[in-house]
Amino acid sequence: MIDYPKIKRDETVEETLHGVKVKDPYRWLENPYSDETKEFVAAQMEITDPFLKSSPIYGKVKGRLTELWNFPKYTVPTKHGSKYFFEKNSGLQNQNVIYVQNSLDTEPSIFLDPNTFSEDGTIALTNKAFSEDGQIFAYALSHAGSDWQQIKFKNVATGEDYQEVLEKVKFSSIAWTHDNKGIFYMCYKHQKGRTDGTETTSNENQNMYYHYLGTNQSEDHHALWWCTPPGLDPLSSLGGELNDSSDKSSEENVSFPKWRTSSEVSVCGKYLFVTVQVGCENQLLYYVDLEALVQRRGAPDYDWSLVASPHQMYAQLPIITIVNKLEADFEYITNMNAPCTYGNEEHSRGEKGNPAIGRQAEVAIFLTNKDAPRRRLIAIDLCRYTMNSDCESLCKSWSTIIPEHEKDVLEWCACVADDKLVTCYLRDARDVLQLRDLKTGNLIKEYDLDMGTISGFSGKKKYSEFFFSVTSFLSPTIIYQVDISKDATAEPKVIRVVHLDKLDATKFMTKQIFYSSKDGTKVPMFIVHKKDLKLDSSAPTLLYGYGGFNISMKPSFSVFRLAFIHDFNGVFALANIRGGGEYGEEWQNAGRLLNRQNCIDDFIAGAEYLIDAKYTSSNKLAIMGGSHGGMLVGACVNQRPELYAAAIPMVGVMDMLRFHKFTIGYAWCTDYGTPDEKEHFNSIIKYSPLHNIRRPSNGAQYPSILVLTADHDDRVVPLHSFKYTAELQNTIGSWEQQNNPLLIRIDVKAGHSAGMPTSKMIDEYTDITVFIAKTLKLEYKP
């Protein structure tokens, strides 16, 4: 039995929520900067580190993972201007390096090496965008895994950086205007306090700015000034808040601090499309006629030298509303050339006469789930929209190019070769790639992917070639080139195959099964193991799940997983539980909000299937999940502790009654519901991992648990894991019947996982592997 640190428990912290008294004895752990919290972190690592590193196989596992990880990794080529760019990692480099080449056949050279930004690899490239002419490269860097970014600019020809650096950028797109002079971006310019990823302050008041290249960020102006769309209640419908409660009738008194914005300049360069969301789904949709704006402000033909103040060109843009209700998602795809025949003096966009009449490229193509749970492709005639349009009526004029499929989910689309569409469908959690006609939506060709996932794609409307990469549980990467300049049905050409030479993939197999959940719902699950595995209930098995936020879990390659299967004769299983996006909006909603228990039931049923089918037994089964999946693991452990031997909740949302109070947590209310509302509170409190830790009454103990978090995780802040671990050790760890360890691993200079350097990934998976092997008493046979 482990001698856990003595953790202060403040029983005086209690609040009444919807008539229920809720104790929060570890609320003091919500302050990441207090001496008490720092002492907690140090005390926890003083027991976790020795537990892991005292294992006789620790060094062997780390050496093995390092050896297996050391193979070259590539991304698909992308064409910008006259050059091709791709990313490569030689094997153990902490960050991928960007290479440039004049053609696919010429020798590439290094364009940008993020490994030079820090000695330990903790500065990562997290976003990038080339100017339309391919001459300027905008790139975003994050430090220590935080979601905060800096945006910098590089001259492609000279390799030199511009002097300016854009700060306090977070959750931002990068959209170049087609004059190649600047970008639209989003930042929290007025965020107070720390902005390094260690803070817990709520992220509010994001604004969109236009940055003119070669100037200081302090000169950037707000690009948009929001007001309430006509006819809507901004408080109940759009997430607005009152600035002054004494005057609720004044529209000027309403602000939208929780709005997050994304923008994209159209393929033709004439329009800026802007989406706004409060949570993690459903968007408002707007557009700005950039071409008309330039002409009206005295800079015809994009001659920016005539503009006295380039920053003011895009200040407070005149936006036109297309969608004014938060009830669906919209993703801009491309434009189609079509004459605008709609308009009169009543539809004048605020001026006499409609300037849209007679112009081309007024039809914009969007991917949406509006009236289509599995999504469809639609065409919107922009000529119909003015400053005072009746958006609800006009949505009936949208035409459908690709209707919703009866079963498959239309995940994404891309326009290539002017009038073709590359479409990716999700069919039973597996990708299906097709080529279609842009105008009719008709199928031209379907590409054979076997049981794989599209891991990368590049292609543009102005190019007749496109590239895609495929990965699977057993194959790292295969990169294909497709040239349809002469034949639309041309077969893909393999231009690169990445192998893992130190493991023979032919000795493994993948299969997909469908098991019954508690309510009879059929749930798909992928199972990977050696071909000669005997189903005698003895195989150590790792079950992974997520089940939230419309995110689909698909086949992907992992050195860690294959090493676990090979070195321990193990099994890896991936359950595609409800709450995810595997079958569209209906599948998501079946595990969302008040239906959250369904995704927990699905995961538990997946564990039971693996046991009943004799893959494994309870004393050989480990479960694992990250972020929302960490919450899933915590909830499953509380509800069925006897079913598993080990659990790995990674960066999980564990305090479900206070998640909305920190950083970006309020956005998750669209998936979890808000604890501030009684109906959602009554649902959440039943499964919240922190609030349901109880000693089992059936004589079982809790499984061995290794909680993972990181000091710069400003997505799911580490206080979730801190409070959960403290409660675990107090309630379960102090119980004489509990012999299984309850530990936490707290990484430093790391975040939610994005941009994590290779060395840290190897360290993390070494610790996870050793923990599972030690607690399940596994024999190591590499």
Side-chain angles (χ1 to χ4, degrees):
M1 187 173 181
I2 293 178
D3 184 16
Y4 296 104
K6 297 194 183 328
I7 307 169
K8 182 182 81 172
R9 186 175 175 87
D10 187 352
E11 298 288 359
T12 66
V13 182
E14 179 180 283
E15 56 188 338
T16 300
L17 303 174
H18 309 290
V20 178
K21 290 185 177 180
V22 179
K23 287 185 175 294
D24 196 1
Y26 300 112
R27 186 169 292 186
W28 56 271
L29 283 168
E30 293 180 359
N31 181 359
Y33 309 119
S34 72
D35 289 339
E36 288 181 313
T37 299
K38 294 175 182 177
E39 290 169 4
F40 169 86
V41 170
Q44 292 296 329
M45 293 312 295
E46 283 177 5
I47 61 172
T48 300
D49 272 350
F51 180 89
L52 297 172
K53 291 178 180 174
S54 65
S55 168
I57 67 170
Y58 186 90
K60 297 177 183 178
V61 169
K62 185 171 182 177
R64 171 73 163 162
L65 287 177
T66 302
E67 177 189 33
L68 293 177
W69 218 288
N70 192 11
F71 66 95
K73 305 159 189 73
Y74 296 85
T75 64
V76 295
T78 61
K79 190 174 184 180
H80 300 283
S82 61
K83 300 179 183 297
Y84 291 89
F85 298 81
F86 66 93
E87 294 181 27
K88 177 186 176 182
N89 191 307
S90 61
L92 296 176
Q93 290 175 290
N94 275 321
Q95 302 292 339
N96 289 354
V97 178
I98 301 180
Y99 286 80
V100 60
Q101 52 190 158
N102 293 325
S103 72
L104 295 177
D105 299 323
T106 58
E107 187 70 21
S109 60
I110 293 177
F111 172 68
L112 181 69
D113 184 359
N115 296 290
T116 63
F117 298 152
S118 61
E119 292 183 3
D120 58 5
T122 56
I123 297 179
L125 179 69
T126 47
N127 197 4
K128 59 184 184 292
F130 283 86
S131 59
E132 180 65 16
D133 62 4
Q135 296 302 307
I136 310 295
F137 179 64
Y139 62 102
L141 301 177
S142 74
H143 295 248
S146 170
D147 283 332
W148 290 107
Q149 298 173 323
Q150 297 175 320
I151 295 180
K152 298 184 177 184
F153 301 88
K154 179 180 289 292
N155 184 301
V156 172
T158 66
E160 296 180 356
D161 275 356
Y162 284 72
Q163 62 180 3
E164 66 262 37
V165 178
L166 310 185
E167 304 282 358
K168 291 189 176 181
V169 177
K170 200 173 195 181
F171 311 128
S172 178
S173 53
I174 300 176
W176 283 91
T177 46
H178 280 208
D179 61 348
N180 310 299
K181 297 294 180 65
I183 64 166
F184 293 102
Y185 71 101
M186 293 80 200
C187 80
Y188 293 86
K189 189 174 183 178
H190 304 292
Q191 181 87 10
K192 296 180 180 179
R194 296 197 189 193
T195 53
D196 62 1
T198 62
E199 75 285 348
T200 63
T201 313
S202 188
N203 298 138
E204 296 184 348
N205 299 305
Q206 185 200 61
N207 285 296
M208 188 169 90
Y209 296 85
Y210 182 78
H211 177 74
Y212 194 84
L213 197 62
T215 64
N216 194 285
Q217 185 183 16
S218 62
E219 300 177 56
D220 295 352
H221 286 269
H222 283 188
L224 297 173
W225 191 262
W226 297 111
C227 62
T228 306
L232 294 180
D233 178 0
L235 301 183
S236 62
S237 302
L238 302 175
E241 296 182 6
L242 287 171
N243 298 327
D244 180 1
S245 59
S246 65
D247 184 5
K248 295 185 179 181
S249 63
S250 173
E251 183 179 285
E252 288 74 19
N253 262 355
V254 178
S255 62
F256 303 93
K258 294 180 173 61
W259 276 18
R260 299 188 323 284
T261 306
S262 182
S263 66
E264 185 170 1
V265 174
S266 64
V267 172
C268 61
K270 297 178 181 178
Y271 308 107
L272 175 74
F273 292 104
V274 179
T275 57
V276 174
Q277 60 188 110
V278 178
C280 292
E281 60 175 33
N282 297 337
Q283 299 162 330
L284 307 176
L285 177 61
Y286 305 89
Y287 85 94
V288 178
D289 189 330
L290 295 178
E291 185 177 65
L293 177 69
V294 171
Q295 293 172 352
R296 280 201 300 271
R297 294 189 177 180
D301 301 321
Y302 292 85
D303 184 359
W304 296 99
S305 64
L306 300 179
V307 183
S309 176
H311 296 278
Q312 295 180 2
M313 173 60 67
Y314 292 124
Q316 299 186 22
L317 297 173
I319 59 173
I320 297 174
T321 305
I322 300 176
V323 176
N324 63 0
K325 284 188 176 181
L326 292 167
E327 58 182 14
D329 296 324
F330 297 88
E331 180 184 345
Y332 170 73
I333 304 301
T334 190
N335 295 73
M336 277 202 308
N337 291 326
C340 178
T341 59
Y342 178 85
N344 54 44
E345 293 191 5
E346 294 180 352
H347 296 82
S348 61
R349 296 182 183 171
E351 301 176 6
K352 186 175 181 180
N354 188 347
I357 296 176
R359 289 172 55 188
Q360 297 290 313
E362 297 283 352
V363 177
I365 311 301
F366 287 87
L367 181 63
T368 182
N369 61 350
K370 169 72 172 171
D371 301 323
R374 289 173 296 280
R375 304 215 272 186
R376 61 181 174 133
L377 198 69
I378 61 170
I380 298 178
D381 184 353
L382 301 181
C383 301
R384 293 178 175 270
Y385 289 85
T386 69
M387 288 291 189
N388 300 304
S389 296
D390 181 353
C391 298
E392 297 225 23
S393 297
L394 285 177
C395 73
K396 298 175 184 177
S397 69
W398 300 348
S399 59
T400 298
I401 298 176
I402 301 179
E404 176 188 29
H405 193 275
E406 60 183 10
K407 181 182 177 183
D408 301 343
V409 180
L410 183 53
E411 281 213 305
W412 55 264
C413 304
C415 183
V416 297
D418 188 54
D419 61 354
K420 302 295 188 297
L421 279 172
V422 178
T423 60
C424 183
Y425 281 90
L426 189 59
R427 180 180 299 163
D428 289 328
R430 294 185 286 182
D431 282 346
V432 176
L433 195 68
Q434 299 174 340
L435 186 69
R436 291 176 176 267
D437 183 89
L438 172 61
K439 293 182 179 179
T440 66
N442 291 339
L443 178 66
I444 298 173
K445 184 177 180 61
E446 183 168 305
Y447 302 102
D448 183 14
L449 302 182
D450 197 14
M451 195 181 293
T453 298
I454 302 297
S455 55
F457 175 85
S458 73
K460 294 184 179 180
K461 185 174 184 176
K462 59 185 176 181
Y463 300 135
S464 61
E465 65 175 354
F466 60 91
F467 304 87
F468 65 92
S469 59
V470 179
T471 187
S472 69
F473 290 114
L474 304 180
S475 171
T477 307
I478 302 176
I479 299 177
Y480 297 89
Q481 176 190 24
V482 184
D483 186 347
I484 56 174
S485 57
K486 297 179 180 179
D487 180 6
T489 64
E491 292 294 331
K493 173 186 175 183
V494 175
I495 61 172
R496 195 183 304 278
V497 179
V498 177
H499 297 285
L500 186 64
D501 295 330
K502 298 176 181 68
L503 280 180
D504 185 358
T506 63
K507 294 182 178 180
F508 302 88
M509 62 176 291
T510 301
K511 61 182 172 182
Q512 185 182 41
I513 60 93
F514 294 80
Y515 64 88
S516 295
S517 189
K518 183 178 180 179
D519 62 0
T521 299
K522 291 294 184 182
V523 180
M525 180 161 63
F526 293 102
I527 302 175
V528 189
H529 55 78
K530 289 181 179 179
K531 290 180 178 178
D532 59 358
L533 179 75
K534 295 180 180 179
L535 297 182
D536 58 4
S537 302
S538 67
T541 298
L542 180 60
L543 172 63
Y544 191 93
Y546 188 79
F549 296 89
N550 199 34
I551 295 173
S552 303
M553 294 288 103
K554 299 187 287 185
S556 62
F557 187 80
S558 166
V559 169
F560 157 69
R561 295 171 186 170
L562 278 188
F564 173 79
I565 295 170
H566 182 274
D567 298 348
F568 298 100
N569 196 29
V571 174
F572 173 76
L574 176 63
N576 300 110
I577 60 180
R578 283 174 286 185
E582 286 84 353
Y583 293 101
E585 189 177 337
E586 293 171 348
W587 189 255
Q588 178 199 8
N589 288 340
R592 176 174 163 259
L593 298 176
L594 302 180
N595 296 321
R596 180 62 63 195
Q597 184 60 41
N598 283 338
C599 82
I600 299 169
D601 289 341
D602 288 355
F603 198 63
I604 290 173
E608 292 175 330
Y609 172 86
L610 293 168
I611 294 171
D612 293 341
K614 297 189 181 303
Y615 284 96
T616 192
S617 58
S618 290
N619 63 355
K620 295 293 184 184
L621 177 61
I623 57 174
M624 181 175 171
S627 193
H628 168 79
M631 185 281 294
L632 169 72
V633 169
C636 288
V637 165
N638 287 337
Q639 295 185 18
R640 291 291 302 278
E642 82 290 349
L643 194 57
Y644 331 99
I648 318 290
M650 307 169 68
V651 293
V653 188
M654 303 314 222
D655 186 349
M656 293 297 297
L657 299 185
R658 290 175 61 78
F659 71 86
H660 58 313
K661 297 180 181 295
F662 309 107
T663 59
I664 196 61
Y666 60 78
W668 312 334
C669 290
T670 53
D671 215 72
Y672 294 135
T674 172
D676 295 337
E677 295 180 8
K678 184 175 182 179
E679 183 181 33
H680 290 140
F681 169 84
N682 289 338
S683 172
I684 290 170
I685 198 171
K686 294 176 182 177
Y687 67 82
S688 174
L690 175 63
H691 301 94
N692 290 277
I693 298 172
R694 300 180 181 91
R695 294 176 179 178
S697 58
N698 58 3
Q701 60 173 319
Y702 262 49
S704 300
I705 298 177
L706 180 64
V707 181
L708 274 71
T709 189
D711 64 347
H712 282 72
D713 187 349
D714 50 352
R715 187 82 57 86
V716 180
V717 287
L719 66 88
H720 284 277
S721 295
F722 292 173
K723 294 168 73 173
Y724 172 73
T725 300
E727 187 63 43
L728 265 181
Q729 292 179 354
N730 175 78
T731 303
I732 306 299
S734 61
W735 186 29
E736 61 182 11
Q737 190 166 316
Q738 178 71 24
N739 294 313
N740 294 329
L742 308 169
L743 305 175
I744 182 171
R745 179 190 189 273
I746 306 163
D747 204 353
V748 295
K749 295 187 72 175
H752 200 59
S753 72
M756 182 179 285
T758 297
S759 58
K760 278 190 172 292
M761 285 192 279
I762 292 173
D763 287 344
E764 180 173 283
Y765 284 123
T766 297
D767 287 352
I768 293 172
T769 301
V770 168
F771 182 81
I772 294 174
K774 186 170 183 175
T775 55
L776 271 60
K777 299 179 175 58
L778 304 182
E779 185 178 1
Y780 186 51
K781 293 184 177 180

